Amino acid sequence: DQQVKQNSPSLSVQEGRISILNCDYTNSMFDYFLWYKKYPAEGPTFLISISSIKDKNEDGRFTVFLNKSAKHLSLHIVPSQPGDSAVYFCAATSSGSARQLTFGSGTQLTVLP
Amino acid sequence: NAGVMQNPRHLVRRRGQEARLRCSPMKGHSHVYWYRQLPEEGLKFMVYLQKENIIDESGMPKERFSAEFPKEGPSILRIQQVVRGDSAAYFCASSSTGDSSYEQYFGPGTRLTVT
């Protein structure tokens, strides 16, 4: 049972345009969500997070939106840059758990120059 | 380097041998997590430790796998009698206490190949 789903395995966008990566979850106990970026042969790099008490969090070019009723979150990157090309993972956790992160399967973002 | 350190970066073992993976958390972090990534999959939680305590090992295979985080020194993930299915990337992460404690910071990983 996949509790965190990233249904798009890949996404291509033009440099300068907006990249929108989507993530759905099924576990109602999740109340904290994170996005990570991963380059080949490296560990995931933390990008941005959001608590379930918010519906939006912004940090520079990155904005995460949370729709609790739809159990859906998205990561917006604007403007997209070629260096943003990587695999993006959505992750979720519960404040009542031992903090383990449950990851989606990732979306490969390619930003075309 | 104040980041999470893992070694070795690459490890090759024959079937039946033991693999030892080491992780030093970020300075000031007291929580350590191990995750495994199989080819073409996302990361899967294995175990969560604090110094001298295993907090949650619900993601660890019941046999052959063990983890520790001693009072002194790095955290160790130990895999005994490795099999080909253990070939994967193993990532360690660490977090602090406090308001940002849900944010986990990852090391570069150890890529285990079992031949």
Side-chain angles (χ1 to χ4, degrees):
Chain A
D1 176 32
Q2 235 183 325
Q3 299 185 67
V4 178
K5 297 179 185 178
Q6 295 178 255
N7 292 319
S8 298
S10 63
L11 173 69
S12 293
V13 298
Q14 286 295 134
E15 181 179 5
R17 306 295 286 265
I18 185 170
S19 295
I20 301 176
L21 297 105
N22 294 302
C23 178
D24 298 294
Y25 62 97
T26 56
N27 189 338
S28 301
M29 299 300 291
F30 289 148
D31 55 8
Y32 201 87
F33 305 89
L34 308 91
W35 284 95
Y36 287 84
K37 176 170 77 171
K38 187 180 181 302
Y39 295 117
E42 294 186 12
T45 301
F46 170 73
L47 279 176
I48 192 169
S49 62
I50 188 166
S51 164
S52 60
I53 62 173
K54 297 184 176 181
D55 54 19
K56 177 182 174 182
N57 188 25
E58 191 172 353
D59 184 1
R61 296 187 298 116
F62 301 94
T63 303
V64 56
F65 295 91
L66 176 62
N67 182 333
K68 288 185 289 293
S69 60
K71 293 191 177 68
H72 177 83
L73 64 156
S74 59
L75 175 68
H76 292 210
I77 307 173
V78 56
S80 302
Q81 300 172 353
D84 295 331
S85 297
V87 177
Y88 288 76
F89 289 99
C90 168
T93 189
S94 163
S95 54
S97 77
R99 306 181 185 189
Q100 59 169 280
L101 297 179
T102 300
F103 282 84
S105 54
T107 296
Q108 171 70 56
L109 172 65
T110 302
V111 180
L112 304 167
Chain B
N1 186 346
V4 178
M5 305 290 288
Q6 286 188 252
N7 66 81
R9 294 291 306 273
H10 299 274
L11 182 61
V12 179
R13 286 287 177 265
R14 291 200 184 101
R15 279 179 298 171
Q17 290 185 319
E18 178 180 289
R20 282 189 178 230
L21 289 64
R22 287 176 290 278
C23 168
S24 296
M26 282 180 71
K27 189 175 180 180
H29 284 189
S30 57
H31 304 268
V32 166
Y33 313 80
W34 285 93
Y35 293 82
R36 175 166 67 175
Q37 184 182 26
L38 296 170
E40 308 301 324
E41 293 187 13
L43 283 76
K44 296 284 195 291
F45 168 78
M46 299 181 75
V47 63
Y48 162 39
L49 310 103
Q50 296 180 18
K51 285 283 186 183
E52 300 184 284
N53 278 307
I54 297 174
I55 307 301
D56 180 0
E57 55 181 349
S58 59
M60 285 269 274
K62 293 288 184 284
E63 297 177 353
R64 302 187 297 108
F65 285 72
S66 63
E68 62 176 6
F69 188 15
K71 188 176 180 181
E72 301 290 339
S75 175
I76 306 286
L77 179 68
R78 182 181 176 208
I79 311 172
Q80 295 178 288
Q81 299 174 328
V82 296
V83 301
R84 289 227 171 97
D86 297 333
S87 295
Y90 291 82
F91 293 98
C92 169
S94 71
S95 69
S96 65
T97 55
D99 291 344
S100 298
S101 60
Y102 295 105
E103 295 163 9
Q104 296 179 16
Y105 295 85
F106 284 80
T110 294
R111 275 140 193 90
L112 172 65
T113 302
V114 179
T115 61

